Amino acid sequence: MTKTFVSPVYGVRAVPLEKIRANAYNPNAVAPPEMRLLEKSIREDGYTMPIVCYHLPDEDIYEIVDGFHRYTVMMTCRDIREREGGCMPVVVIEKDISNLMASTIRHNRARGSHSIDLMVNIVGELVQSGMSDEWIAKNIGMDADELLRLKQISGLASLFADKDFSRAWAVDSHDEKFYVGT
């Protein structure tokens, strides 16, 4: 009789932080703005995805395959750690070390990236629904320059309706500067 495979997500465990450690081979890095956004997400939405680990029974330690940055948020944010009772939601996979490394890379690379077009649409909808630039930047993890670039890419003048602009310079045929516009 063959064993039926059951996806690890059906066995989420609450594992104390002191029983979890990072692996030594994860090449993934998260830039500070995205790390702040991850922290905000966990603070406001809670942990919505468990971290992935394998269990080392001889040490009774769970080594991280995927989720190091979610783990880091809990390690560095006392309020979140206390709210979660010092435990991380963990799913366990059982593989040999080379397959664990491959799993780490697959998890990292499978996340993909944000489509610029979709982000432009989201920003446009938020602006048109009355959200301020400050609200948008804070709640979707953008700095002011990134938000401005997305608005510029959209080509929609309505996204700039609440902005004051200085008068532009233009060059006439004699290389003398003069103001254009009002």
Side-chain angles (χ1 to χ4, degrees), residues 108-152:
N108 289 344
R109 297 196 69 199
R111 285 189 181 86
S113 60
H114 289 279
S115 160
I116 295 296
D117 291 338
L118 292 176
M119 289 301 294
V120 166
N121 291 341
I122 289 168
V123 166
E125 288 181 31
L126 290 170
V127 168
Q128 291 170 350
S129 70
M131 304 316 256
S132 69
D133 285 1
E134 293 77 22
W135 187 95
I136 295 169
K138 178 181 175 190
N139 285 282
I140 62 175
M142 294 183 173
D143 62 31
D145 289 338
E146 184 179 15
L147 180 57
L148 176 62
R149 283 192 302 275
L150 286 175
K151 287 171 126 183
Q152 289 169 334

Side-chain angles (χ1 to χ4, degrees), residues 18-100:
E18 59 272 9
K19 290 188 170 213
I20 301 172
R21 73 177 179 211
N23 66 49
Y25 53 82
N26 187 358
N28 192 25
V30 173
E34 285 76 19
M35 198 65 190
R36 287 189 297 275
L37 185 60
L38 177 61
E39 179 182 327
K40 180 177 182 55
S41 173
I42 291 170
R43 183 168 280 113
E44 293 190 11
D45 302 327
Y47 279 91
T48 58
M49 296 183 345
I51 66 171
V52 180
C53 295
Y54 66 95
H55 186 238
L56 299 163
D58 294 345
E59 300 176 65
D60 194 22
I61 291 291
Y62 293 80
E63 193 161 280
I64 298 171
V65 172
D66 180 65
F68 173 75
H69 297 98
R70 284 171 273 153
Y71 165 78
T72 300
V73 167
M74 189 178 291
M75 292 296 288
T76 59
C77 299
R78 185 171 154 190
D79 60 321
I80 293 172
R81 188 170 52 254
E82 288 174 357
R83 180 190 71 197
E84 301 294 327
C87 290
M88 287 289 307
V90 170
V91 295
V92 176
I93 60 175
E94 297 186 26
K95 298 182 175 211
D96 62 63
I97 188 66
S98 62
N99 283 310
L100 290 167

